[in-house]
Amino acid sequence: MDTYSRRAIKKYLPYLALALLVALTYTTWRLYERNVRQREENRFMHSVNHVINEIVDRIHRYEMVLQGGAGLFAASEEVTREEWQAYCEYQQTVDLYPGVRGVGYAAIIDGDELMQHETSVRAEGFPDYAVWPAGERDSYAAVVYMEPFDDVNERAFGFDLFSEEVRRTAAERARDHDSASISGKLTLQQNLRDDNQAGFIMFLPVYNKDLPQSTVEERRRALEGLIFAPFQMIELMENIFPDPLYAIDFEIYDGTEISQAALL
């Protein structure tokens, strides 16, 4: 190697070393950034899964309360108002399952049996009882039992769940599939706040055990009533997550559309 070549190498060697150092630094930084991002994504997904699991677990617990109510009807010839009250008190629904407004039972009434139904309930000591809203319909799903039967839940007494589309859709889905069904977004009769906070209702069907229930048509004919539980969304979330979730904020929507109208 001649003198000129050695001088050229010596001249550019610092620049080459600097370039290698910069490249090494950049590569190291990129690896570190990727690792940090991966850790943050893992933490985020852990928080997301925590939120989802807590909500799903709570909903399943409420479903078990409704299943127990369905079992009561399955084991009895006729569940009286007193028996329903005793069941709900035993379950301690309000104390052990915060967020639920209560647990009720709606009886399915044919249109031509409405007057007989109202007379029967009035004879139990409710002289002002009437199925509402008023109007002639082919069938009604009238709220006859609601526990705790306090001033708030009494607002729903006699309400026809079939009279409103969102409630009816969920009730019919529960009936047809013989499973628990959750309604879309609605404002409950038991709303305690002035902000008309959103709520939803969970339904579970009760069938006449003496009739077949193998097909959808058979289940429709055999439906005797609906056990249900109304939920206020804000109260439910406050009770599922009593402490602030510093790691994540989340919003819940009715369905797959993200819009103010669908925001629960």
Short mmCIF file of all heavy atoms in Angstrom, two decimals, residues 9 20 43 56 67 106 116 136 154 182 187 204 215 219 223 232 234-235 238 241 244:
data_model
loop_
_atom_site.label_atom_id
_atom_site.label_comp_id
_atom_site.label_asym_id
_atom_site.label_seq_id
_atom_site.Cartn_x
_atom_site.Cartn_y
_atom_site.Cartn_z
N ILE A 9 -6.74 6.50 4.01
CA ILE A 9 -7.42 5.68 5.03
C ILE A 9 -7.40 6.37 6.38
O ILE A 9 -8.40 6.42 7.10
CB ILE A 9 -6.77 4.29 5.10
CG1 ILE A 9 -7.02 3.52 3.80
CG2 ILE A 9 -7.30 3.51 6.30
CD1 ILE A 9 -6.29 2.20 3.74
N LEU A 20 -20.27 4.19 11.69
CA LEU A 20 -20.60 2.92 12.32
C LEU A 20 -21.25 3.13 13.69
O LEU A 20 -22.19 2.43 14.07
CB LEU A 20 -19.34 2.07 12.47
CG LEU A 20 -18.75 1.51 11.16
CD1 LEU A 20 -17.42 0.84 11.45
CD2 LEU A 20 -19.72 0.53 10.52
N ARG A 43 -49.29 -4.24 27.93
CA ARG A 43 -49.97 -3.67 29.08
C ARG A 43 -51.37 -3.20 28.70
O ARG A 43 -52.34 -3.40 29.45
CB ARG A 43 -49.17 -2.50 29.64
CG ARG A 43 -47.88 -2.89 30.36
CD ARG A 43 -47.13 -1.66 30.84
NE ARG A 43 -47.95 -0.82 31.69
CZ ARG A 43 -47.63 0.43 32.05
NH1 ARG A 43 -46.51 0.96 31.60
NH2 ARG A 43 -48.41 1.12 32.83
N VAL A 56 -68.00 -9.19 31.51
CA VAL A 56 -68.61 -10.47 31.12
C VAL A 56 -68.89 -11.33 32.35
O VAL A 56 -69.96 -11.95 32.46
CB VAL A 56 -67.70 -11.23 30.14
CG1 VAL A 56 -68.20 -12.65 29.92
CG2 VAL A 56 -67.63 -10.49 28.81
N GLN A 67 -81.50 -17.46 35.93
CA GLN A 67 -81.64 -18.90 35.77
C GLN A 67 -82.26 -19.52 37.02
O GLN A 67 -83.08 -20.44 36.93
CB GLN A 67 -80.28 -19.54 35.49
CG GLN A 67 -79.69 -19.21 34.13
CD GLN A 67 -80.33 -20.00 33.00
OE1 GLN A 67 -81.25 -20.78 33.22
NE2 GLN A 67 -79.85 -19.79 31.78
N ALA A 106 -92.57 -10.95 34.09
CA ALA A 106 -93.65 -10.43 33.25
C ALA A 106 -94.46 -11.59 32.72
O ALA A 106 -93.90 -12.54 32.15
CB ALA A 106 -93.08 -9.60 32.10
N GLN A 116 -109.47 -10.08 32.32
CA GLN A 116 -109.42 -11.11 33.37
C GLN A 116 -108.13 -11.01 34.16
O GLN A 116 -108.13 -11.15 35.39
CB GLN A 116 -109.55 -12.49 32.73
CG GLN A 116 -109.47 -13.64 33.73
CD GLN A 116 -109.51 -14.99 33.02
OE1 GLN A 116 -109.84 -15.08 31.84
NE2 GLN A 116 -109.18 -16.05 33.76
N GLU A 136 -105.10 -1.77 22.50
CA GLU A 136 -105.37 -3.16 22.16
C GLU A 136 -104.19 -3.75 21.38
O GLU A 136 -103.74 -3.18 20.39
CB GLU A 136 -106.65 -3.25 21.32
CG GLU A 136 -107.91 -2.89 22.09
CD GLU A 136 -109.17 -3.13 21.27
OE1 GLU A 136 -109.04 -3.70 20.16
OE2 GLU A 136 -110.26 -2.77 21.74
N GLU A 154 -91.81 0.17 41.60
CA GLU A 154 -93.26 0.18 41.42
C GLU A 154 -93.66 0.94 40.15
O GLU A 154 -94.74 0.72 39.60
CB GLU A 154 -93.94 0.81 42.64
CG GLU A 154 -95.44 0.62 42.66
CD GLU A 154 -96.08 1.14 43.93
OE1 GLU A 154 -95.32 1.57 44.84
OE2 GLU A 154 -97.32 1.13 44.03
N ILE A 182 -79.97 -9.84 25.94
CA ILE A 182 -79.80 -8.47 26.44
C ILE A 182 -80.36 -7.49 25.42
O ILE A 182 -80.09 -7.61 24.22
CB ILE A 182 -78.32 -8.17 26.73
CG1 ILE A 182 -77.84 -9.00 27.92
CG2 ILE A 182 -78.11 -6.69 27.03
CD1 ILE A 182 -76.38 -8.84 28.24
N THR A 187 -84.07 3.76 27.90
CA THR A 187 -84.22 4.47 29.17
C THR A 187 -85.20 3.69 30.02
O THR A 187 -86.33 3.43 29.59
CB THR A 187 -84.74 5.90 28.95
OG1 THR A 187 -83.81 6.63 28.14
CG2 THR A 187 -84.89 6.62 30.28
N LEU A 204 -84.96 -13.68 30.28
CA LEU A 204 -84.85 -15.14 30.23
C LEU A 204 -86.28 -15.68 30.15
O LEU A 204 -87.15 -15.27 30.93
CB LEU A 204 -84.14 -15.68 31.47
CG LEU A 204 -83.67 -17.13 31.39
CD1 LEU A 204 -82.50 -17.24 30.40
CD2 LEU A 204 -83.23 -17.63 32.75
N THR A 215 -88.87 -26.72 19.00
CA THR A 215 -88.69 -25.84 17.86
C THR A 215 -89.05 -24.41 18.24
O THR A 215 -89.64 -24.16 19.30
CB THR A 215 -89.58 -26.29 16.69
OG1 THR A 215 -90.96 -26.09 17.04
CG2 THR A 215 -89.34 -27.75 16.36
N ARG A 219 -91.74 -23.17 21.03
CA ARG A 219 -91.37 -22.28 22.13
C ARG A 219 -92.24 -21.03 22.15
O ARG A 219 -92.56 -20.50 23.22
CB ARG A 219 -89.88 -21.92 22.03
CG ARG A 219 -88.95 -23.07 22.38
CD ARG A 219 -87.52 -22.62 22.56
NE ARG A 219 -86.87 -22.34 21.29
CZ ARG A 219 -86.22 -23.25 20.56
NH1 ARG A 219 -86.18 -24.51 20.96
NH2 ARG A 219 -85.62 -22.91 19.43
N LEU A 223 -94.52 -20.15 25.56
CA LEU A 223 -94.03 -19.06 26.42
C LEU A 223 -95.11 -18.63 27.42
O LEU A 223 -96.23 -18.28 27.04
CB LEU A 223 -93.61 -17.87 25.57
CG LEU A 223 -92.96 -16.71 26.33
CD1 LEU A 223 -91.58 -17.13 26.87
CD2 LEU A 223 -92.83 -15.48 25.44
N GLN A 232 -79.00 0.02 35.02
CA GLN A 232 -78.57 1.37 34.67
C GLN A 232 -77.09 1.29 34.34
O GLN A 232 -76.29 0.82 35.15
CB GLN A 232 -78.78 2.33 35.84
CG GLN A 232 -80.24 2.47 36.26
CD GLN A 232 -81.00 3.47 35.40
OE1 GLN A 232 -80.76 3.56 34.20
NE2 GLN A 232 -81.89 4.21 36.00
N ILE A 234 -74.50 3.43 33.95
CA ILE A 234 -73.50 4.14 34.76
C ILE A 234 -73.35 3.47 36.12
O ILE A 234 -72.23 3.23 36.60
CB ILE A 234 -73.89 5.62 34.91
CG1 ILE A 234 -73.84 6.32 33.55
CG2 ILE A 234 -72.95 6.33 35.89
CD1 ILE A 234 -74.29 7.77 33.59
N GLU A 235 -74.47 3.14 36.74
CA GLU A 235 -74.41 2.49 38.05
C GLU A 235 -73.71 1.13 37.95
O GLU A 235 -72.93 0.76 38.83
CB GLU A 235 -75.82 2.31 38.60
CG GLU A 235 -76.52 3.61 38.96
CD GLU A 235 -77.91 3.38 39.49
OE1 GLU A 235 -78.28 2.22 39.74
OE2 GLU A 235 -78.65 4.37 39.66
N GLU A 238 -69.96 1.72 37.55
CA GLU A 238 -69.38 2.24 38.80
C GLU A 238 -69.21 1.13 39.83
O GLU A 238 -68.29 1.17 40.65
CB GLU A 238 -70.27 3.35 39.37
CG GLU A 238 -70.20 4.65 38.58
CD GLU A 238 -71.17 5.69 39.10
OE1 GLU A 238 -72.08 5.32 39.89
OE2 GLU A 238 -71.03 6.87 38.72
N PHE A 241 -66.33 -1.34 38.48
CA PHE A 241 -65.02 -0.70 38.62
C PHE A 241 -65.11 0.45 39.63
O PHE A 241 -65.18 1.62 39.25
CB PHE A 241 -64.54 -0.16 37.26
CG PHE A 241 -64.52 -1.19 36.17
CD1 PHE A 241 -65.48 -1.20 35.17
CD2 PHE A 241 -63.54 -2.18 36.15
CE1 PHE A 241 -65.46 -2.15 34.17
CE2 PHE A 241 -63.52 -3.14 35.15
CZ PHE A 241 -64.48 -3.13 34.16
N PRO A 244 -60.84 4.10 40.10
CA PRO A 244 -60.52 4.61 38.76
C PRO A 244 -59.56 3.69 38.01
O PRO A 244 -58.64 3.12 38.59
CB PRO A 244 -59.86 5.97 39.05
CG PRO A 244 -60.32 6.33 40.42
CD PRO A 244 -60.50 5.05 41.16
#
